[in-house]
Amino acid sequence: MSAEFSIFELVLEASLLVKFVMLVLLGFSVACWAMIFQRRKALNMAKQQLKAFEDKFWSGADLSKLYNEISSKNQIQGIESLFVAGFKEFARLRKSHIDNPQTIVDATHRAMRVALSREVDSLEVHLPFMATVGSISPYIGLFGTVWGIMNSFIGLGSVQQATLAMVAPGIAEALIATAMGLFAAIPAVMAFNRFSHKVEKLENSYGNFMEEFASILQRQTAIEQQG
């Protein structure tokens, strides 16, 4: 308890600029942790939705019924948005009496690629902020440390006899800024790397489905033409 109280005292006795640096770093840390929990929940939900949709899609469900079922939802996101965009474009082309399989593949690809871009942007929300915090927090903390140590040594200039006891508190309070910078940066970098990997895996899964779905529509069109 005494160690914690001493650190608290050092923070309170720090210079105004060092206090401001600590406050900024504390704000970064709190914001990052809130975003970490939010992104973790969102990416886990996207992964569960992907598995549930693929199980239903590859079980042999009728595509028209599946499209109507998903379209009736209030909110369409994740892989479902790719399916809806692709099938909607496919139905539009069929109504326009366009039966060229390659034309259908190209059009559905474009529609699904736009939906894929939107979904990836949604999955990557907050990741740039985490990367920024991970990059700049140590430098912000180091700036507070340098400023605090500089003030400590300037204060020694007006003293006849300098002792370690006189300069130690100032150096210690300055070093807290560096520690807070690392405290904010390390979780941010770890979360950014982990979430970026998850987003990349989801994007690859979405891309694979997009190719397979376009091939299914192409084969279906070709079969109907032959019939």
Side-chain angles (χ1 to χ4, degrees), residues 24-223:
V24 169
L25 292 173
L26 180 62
F28 280 170
S29 181
V30 171
C32 260
W33 278 107
M35 293 175 184
I36 286 170
F37 287 120
Q38 191 274 337
R39 280 296 88 197
R40 181 174 178 272
K41 180 179 179 182
L43 292 175
N44 286 342
M45 287 180 62
K47 184 178 178 180
Q48 292 171 5
Q49 183 199 44
L50 172 64
K51 186 178 185 306
F53 175 83
E54 286 185 331
D55 289 344
K56 186 179 295 185
F57 181 85
W58 295 112
S59 67
D62 182 81
L63 295 182
S64 297
K65 291 182 179 179
L66 185 59
Y67 171 77
N68 293 330
E69 177 186 338
I70 295 175
S71 298
S72 62
K73 293 183 178 180
N74 294 328
Q75 187 177 11
I76 303 173
Q77 58 186 5
I79 195 170
E80 291 181 346
S81 66
L82 273 69
F83 170 75
V84 168
F87 194 86
K88 185 177 181 180
E89 183 65 14
F90 172 75
R92 186 187 69 81
L93 293 174
R94 296 301 301 278
K95 288 181 180 178
S96 302
H97 304 291
I98 298 176
D99 296 326
N100 187 320
Q102 190 57 48
T103 301
I104 291 176
V105 169
D106 292 341
T108 53
H109 252 289
R110 287 193 296 269
M112 288 190 288
R113 194 166 295 281
V114 171
L116 174 64
S117 179
R118 285 198 298 264
E119 290 305 314
V120 172
D121 287 343
S122 176
L123 292 173
E124 290 180 340
V125 168
H126 302 320
L127 294 191
F129 179 81
M130 293 180 192
T132 301
V133 170
S135 299
I136 69 173
S137 291
Y139 296 104
I140 295 176
L142 184 61
F143 170 74
T145 298
V146 170
W147 186 269
I149 292 175
M150 182 181 67
N151 283 341
S152 296
F153 281 109
I154 289 174
L156 291 178
S158 59
V159 179
Q160 293 293 334
Q161 185 177 2
T163 63
L164 182 61
M166 296 177 62
V167 73
I171 294 177
E173 70 188 30
L175 289 174
I176 293 175
T178 297
M180 291 187 67
L182 295 175
F183 181 77
I186 292 173
V189 172
M190 292 179 64
F192 173 79
N193 291 335
R194 180 172 177 79
F195 293 155
S196 294
H197 179 64
K198 286 189 174 183
V199 170
E200 184 179 354
K201 289 181 67 176
L202 286 169
E203 184 178 2
N204 289 337
S205 297
Y206 291 170
N208 291 337
F209 168 77
M210 191 170 66
E211 297 294 334
E212 292 166 344
F213 184 45
S215 298
I216 290 173
L217 297 179
Q218 184 181 27
R219 287 196 300 269
Q220 183 175 330
T221 304
I223 292 172

